[in-house]
Amino acid sequence: MNTLDLLRDDFKLFLQALWRELDLPNPTRAQYAIADYLQHGPKRLQIQAFRGVGKSWITGAFVLWTLFNNSEKKIMIISASKERADNMSIFLQKLIIETPWLAHLRPKSDDSRWSRISFDVACSPHQAPSVKSVGITGQLTGSRADLMILDDIEVPGNSMTEFMREKLLQLCTEAESILTPKNDSRIMFLGTPQTTFTVYRKLAERAYKPFVWPARYPRKVTQYEGLLAPQLVEDIDGGAEPWQVTDDRFDNEDLIEREASMGRSNFMLQFMLDTSLSDAEKFPLKCSDLIVTSVNPTTAPESIVWCSDPQNVIKDLPTVGLPGDYFYSPMQLQGTWDSYQETICSVDPSGRGSDETAAAYISQRNGFLYVHDMRAYKDGYSDRTLLDILKGCKKYGVTKLLIETNFGDGIVSELFKKHMVQTKQGIDIEEVRANVRKEDRIIDSLEPILNQHRLIVDRNVIEWDFKSNPDSPPEERLLYMLFYQMSRMCREKGAIRHDDRIDCLAQGVQYFTDAMGISALEAIKDRKRNEWNSMLEEFFDDPQASANHLVLGMNLQQRQQAKGNSKNSVPTWV
């Protein structure tokens, strides 16, 4: 068997020879294992390997190996963006031109297609190109392919919300309609999970069998649900130590540095590929427990009724919570509208840097809390920031400024007082010092009111939160969002990297804890009782002047009941 026959027979040898042409070192153990799975794996598969292992390069080599064996094959490369897919095409074209033993794949005529969008190798004329690159949101309908490669289709920008993930999953199903009906036609997904609830889990449920290769041997093999690469399973059965490096692509020191800079949760996704859902119950703060509606700046109804009926799901708001966690509109607004009993501004100050200074404007009536607005600033407690917070205080009629003093030791309060003198605002300032661990404090403050569905949030807060920090990359924007922080908060230390917004909200809610004992139903009864007694007093003081008003205010049954009631009694309908 000559050398070319050996390359056709074994993709691992082909990969090794191609790496030498590129002056790269021999493939690592993980890269050989991925190559073996690409060659011998099932018709529908997915490869999940740690970030930086070279999945895309290996799969690009597999495209060339496929054409090396059969130049009549039609291949489609799909990525999250058109640019990434085109870069793969350019990489393949460069290899065909510069690799001597791939010379037979070069187009035979100048009329052949040869662009970054699509190109032909030396093959029979055909409507479909040999290789075509397209973005996941591009024009897929009408194309045909024998081999479909979906490379890193999940990125932070298209998987932040549940609706985004559902849309992405629908686009993935288009691959089935494009695949040619041949026995050797295949669909391959390769990528790294971007969220705990990645679309790759859904694909696994749809018979796209995953091959998972984390950067370290896991401490709990059961979290991978039997999907670990068979080579690693053999190592573990043979006594491999947990948390040891599985491949020499990165050494132990490098992985430690990456974990420290990325944070534990991101490292577990990007390098350990741990998308286990077993911890979902650890997150007690749900977006679905909120009531989302337009909040009036000055008045509110006596009571608001929460309902989780599917008809109440607000589908036009971006949801960054966990899967199945949506925002709901109220079922009913009850009673009369009246002024809020108190409105505060909760401020969580921070210095300049990656943290934010956050301010939440919250009102209370009958035990219900209304979040009017939230603002966040990256410039610490500058004059511009403090003046903008005070501007919001004037807009919503704030009577108390609640300031956490853990940062700055009271200096922020003094700066606020100076600006209040200049703006002629008389607002009480109350300083709060936190002594309980942050994660416990936030959950203990918010969980009870959320479980009782007494926190009402203005729609504009959700829209602002999702659009905030527009200049940051998607994966960074997500970490700063209030409702992302809320839905990922658990009692583990350092549960989320940034918690300024949720901490600010929890501080304001904690202030109103005493008001949570107020029953909206009892408040309505008290109001009706007072109105009834007031009307009776007016009637007995001046019967002729108020008789018409009283009679018009009662129906027949109420008038009959009133005949036997004394001056200070209350009818049974109240």
Side-chain angles (χ1 to χ4, degrees), residues 224-293:
Y224 292 87
E225 302 173 349
L227 302 177
L228 273 179
Q231 295 91 336
L232 299 184
V233 175
E234 291 178 4
D235 293 346
I236 293 171
D237 293 341
E241 290 292 328
W243 220 242
Q244 292 300 308
V245 177
T246 60
D247 188 69
D248 56 8
R249 179 76 170 173
F250 298 109
D251 59 27
N252 186 56
E253 185 177 348
D254 195 347
L255 290 178
I256 291 174
E257 291 175 355
R258 290 173 185 270
E259 181 177 3
S261 61
M262 296 174 64
R264 182 181 304 170
S265 58
N266 274 339
F267 181 84
M268 293 301 290
L269 279 175
Q270 303 273 321
F271 282 85
M272 292 305 295
L273 312 166
D274 184 1
T275 60
S276 172
L277 296 180
S278 60
D279 289 339
E281 295 179 356
K282 287 185 177 180
F283 308 120
L285 308 180
K286 312 291 186 185
C287 295
S288 57
D289 287 331
L290 297 166
I291 299 177
V292 179
T293 186

Side-chain angles (χ1 to χ4, degrees), residues 196-243:
T196 307
F197 304 93
T198 173
V199 296
Y200 296 124
R201 290 187 62 89
K202 295 290 185 181
L203 291 171
E205 296 170 2
R206 299 184 181 185
Y208 291 91
K209 188 177 179 181
F211 171 95
V212 181
W213 190 292
R216 297 182 183 275
Y217 291 104
R219 294 189 175 102
K220 294 182 180 179
V221 179
T222 55
Q223 291 180 329
Y224 292 87
E225 302 173 349
L227 302 177
L228 273 179
Q231 295 91 336
L232 299 184
V233 175
E234 291 178 4
D235 293 346
I236 293 171
D237 293 341
E241 290 292 328
W243 220 242

Side-chain angles (χ1 to χ4, degrees), residues 434-462:
N435 299 315
V436 182
R437 190 159 66 91
K438 184 176 293 187
E439 291 78 14
D440 291 334
R441 183 179 76 249
I442 291 173
I443 292 174
D444 291 343
S445 298
L446 291 177
E447 189 176 10
I449 185 177
L450 287 174
N451 290 344
Q452 297 176 56
H453 312 296
R454 291 194 172 202
L455 188 61
I456 297 91
V457 179
D458 192 283
R459 287 177 56 99
N460 292 329
V461 174
I462 299 171

Side-chain angles (χ1 to χ4, degrees), residues 174-192:
E174 287 291 321
E176 293 292 343
S177 60
I178 295 171
L179 194 68
T180 55
K182 298 179 181 178
N183 292 331
D184 60 347
S185 297
R186 302 176 73 188
I187 300 177
M188 300 176 175
F189 286 87
L190 54 143
T192 305

